[in-house]
């Protein structure tokens, strides 16, 4: 019988083989989030260059009560909060505190692929907000969607942190549409989106002076070494962050600084890299209002309210699963 660990390794092998066989080479961003990757990402969110987390947190602190009230839509039924890609749930505390002020019973379902992140979030939340019932779900996005459907009662699904920006626009709509199919009419989604701005602000956010983002990017190679027995030499790759103005996205790459061959025994093959050749590891789309409207409308959700910071760098949207026609 296949164990969960064996299934995960098989999935990793399939993703790596698919991406490295293509030209240009790429790797799925799903590979970032092992325990070390999750830890490094949490460190990134505290960097001075990484404006996203603190800007979104400020929006939530200012408007969390209103967000909860609008999500309830006049119903006295307690709202159950579900979070996709919860991580350490640091910003979520703001929303849970707001819910606790108006609800006697607050239930929170954090969904994440990292068990370590879920454990950390659960421990911290039980200490800070003992009145909140934390029910972690160790799942990826796809599995998490179907689990949302099983949670009874009125729900507010948190999809914050601009995680939606890591997907191609058509994929973003598809993910939100899948979420919509697993919601009941009247359920709501709180969606965080990073907005388009100057590359002078964007590039440092993804290529910080301390090199934490570089370590995060390179960790994907370390994970392949560990999981598949590969012999990537991390010193032979450098982190690159590029602004693609045409597609309105930051791209993260790993560039080979020399001509080299990397063996991956578990795939029974080797991969050749030219000097200067890159592996495309992640995109982070920066939205314009028309891009957002298209993604949301194509998902079959209705945008009821938007909150932004004064510089309009970041936006948080309350979306509604409307009544079926």
């Amino acid at each position: 019988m296949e164990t969960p660990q064996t299934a995960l390794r098989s999935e990793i092998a399939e993703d790596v083989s698919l991406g490295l066989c293509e030209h240009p080479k790429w790797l799925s961003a799903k590979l970032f989030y092992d325990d070390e990757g999750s830890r490094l990402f949490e460190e990134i969110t505290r960097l001075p260059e990484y404006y996203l987390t603190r800007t979104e947190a400020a929006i939530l602190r200012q408007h969390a009560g209103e967000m909860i009230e609008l999500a309830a839509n006049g119903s006295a039924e307690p709202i159950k909060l579900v979070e996709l890609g919860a991580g350490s749930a640091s910003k979520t505390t703001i929303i849970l505190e707001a819910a606790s002020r108006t609800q006697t019973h607050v239930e929170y379902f954090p969904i994440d692929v990292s068990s370590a992140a879920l454990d950390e979030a659960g421990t911290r939340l039980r200490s800070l907000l003992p009145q909140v019932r934390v029910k972690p779900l160790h799942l990826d996005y796809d599995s998490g969607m179907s689990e949302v459907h099983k949670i009874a009662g009125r729900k507010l699904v948190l999809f914050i942190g601009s995680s939606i920006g890591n997907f191609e626009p058509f994929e973003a709509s598809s993910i939100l549409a899948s979420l919509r199919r697993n919601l009941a009419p009247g359920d709501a989604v709180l969606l965080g989106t990073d907005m388009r701005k100057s590359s002078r602000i964007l590039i440092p956010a993804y290529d910080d002076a301390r090199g934490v983002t570089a370590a995060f990017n390179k960790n994907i190679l370390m994970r392949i070494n560990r999981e598949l027995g590969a012999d990537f030499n991390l010193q032979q790759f450098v982190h690159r962050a590029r602004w693609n103005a045409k597609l309105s996205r930051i791209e993260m790459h790993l560039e080979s600084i020399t001509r080299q061959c990397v063996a991956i025994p578990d795939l029974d093959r080797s991969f050749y890299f030219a000097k200067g050749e890159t592996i495309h590891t992640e995109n982070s789309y920066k939205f314009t209002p028309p891009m957002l409207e298209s993604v949301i409308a194509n998902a079959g959700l209705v945008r009821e309210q938007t909150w932004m910071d004064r510089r309009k760098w970041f936006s948080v949207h309350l979306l509604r699963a409307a009544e079926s026609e």
Side-chain angles (χ1 to χ4, degrees):
M1 182 177 178
E2 188 177 53
T3 66
Q5 188 60 38
T6 302
L8 176 61
R9 188 171 288 112
S10 177
E11 182 180 343
I12 291 170
E14 184 177 347
D15 286 345
V16 170
S17 180
L18 179 64
L20 295 186
C21 284
E22 292 197 10
H23 299 282
K25 294 180 174 68
W26 59 272
L27 287 169
S28 171
K30 291 187 299 184
L31 297 170
F32 280 128
Y33 296 100
D34 61 355
D35 290 348
E36 176 64 6
S38 295
R39 185 195 67 78
L40 285 167
F41 182 73
E42 289 301 319
E43 188 174 347
I44 288 170
T45 65
R46 297 188 290 271
L47 293 169
E49 300 95 331
Y50 196 80
Y51 62 87
L52 291 87
T53 301
R54 63 178 177 270
T55 305
E56 185 179 35
I59 295 171
L60 296 178
R61 277 192 293 270
Q62 186 174 357
H63 300 288
E66 183 185 358
M67 292 169 179
I68 292 293
E69 183 181 355
L70 288 174
N73 200 27
S75 173
E77 180 184 359
I79 295 176
K80 295 179 180 179
L81 292 106
V82 184
E83 184 167 12
L84 297 175
S88 66
S90 56
K91 293 186 298 265
T92 314
T93 306
I94 301 167
I95 301 172
L96 293 172
E97 286 176 338
S100 297
R101 288 194 289 269
T102 58
Q103 296 183 194
T104 305
H105 302 291
V106 178
E107 290 184 273
Y108 171 56
F109 300 81
I111 297 173
D112 204 277
V113 295
S114 170
S115 56
L118 288 173
D119 289 344
E120 179 188 342
T123 299
R124 187 169 54 80
L125 287 172
R126 290 183 186 102
S127 174
L128 293 174
L129 298 169
Q131 72 274 30
V132 175
R133 299 172 185 173
V134 182
K135 301 180 178 181
L137 299 169
H138 184 205
L139 300 166
D140 60 18
Y141 276 72
D142 292 337
S143 302
M145 296 293 184
S146 59
E147 202 64 30
V148 168
H149 180 70
K150 299 176 186 177
I151 299 172
R154 182 175 289 270
K155 294 178 286 292
L156 172 60
V157 178
L158 311 177
F159 201 178
I160 54 179
S162 198
S163 299
I164 196 68
N166 296 138
F167 301 95
E168 300 292 332
F170 73 90
E171 289 180 305
S173 288
S174 178
I175 286 169
L176 289 175
S178 177
L179 177 57
R180 166 65 187 90
R181 288 191 295 271
N182 285 286
L183 296 176
D187 286 345
V189 178
L190 202 62
L191 180 70
T193 54
D194 196 21
M195 305 304 288
R196 182 170 175 137
K197 57 188 70 65
S198 169
S199 61
R200 295 191 302 274
I201 299 163
L202 290 169
I203 292 292
Y206 292 85
D207 193 8
D208 62 278
R210 285 178 49 200
V212 181
T213 313
F216 173 74
N217 202 8
K218 285 187 176 186
N219 183 64
I220 203 170
L221 302 182
M222 189 175 294
R223 184 178 187 186
I224 296 171
N225 285 352
R226 185 181 67 250
E227 300 280 359
L228 302 179
D231 63 355
F232 278 104
N233 181 344
L234 273 62
Q235 302 306 311
Q236 299 299 320
F237 288 86
V238 292
H239 167 69
R240 302 292 187 207
R242 302 171 181 170
W243 170 240
N244 186 326
K246 182 178 180 180
L247 296 178
S248 196
R249 71 188 189 191
I250 285 284
E251 298 175 355
M252 293 211 320
H253 298 259
L254 289 165
E255 180 183 327
S256 174
I257 61 174
T258 186
R259 185 181 176 189
Q260 59 182 305
C261 174
V262 176
I264 306 184
D266 283 15
L267 299 182
D268 195 28
R269 65 169 302 164
S270 297
F271 296 90
Y272 294 87
F273 293 84
K275 182 179 180 179
E277 185 176 3
T278 68
I279 308 171
H280 189 168
T281 55
E282 186 179 46
N283 295 319
S284 184
Y285 280 85
K286 306 306 172 185
F287 291 94
T288 63
M291 287 171 64
L292 270 172
E293 290 299 330
S294 176
V295 167
I296 293 169
N298 289 337
L301 290 161
V302 177
R303 183 167 64 92
E304 292 190 352
Q305 179 69 282
T306 292
W307 299 269
M308 301 185 79
D309 62 289
R310 60 178 178 81
R311 294 174 296 191
K312 302 188 185 306
W313 281 9
F314 203 95
S315 56
V316 180
H317 317 269
L318 186 78
L319 314 178
R320 184 79 62 185
E323 297 288 343
S324 302
E325 295 181 359

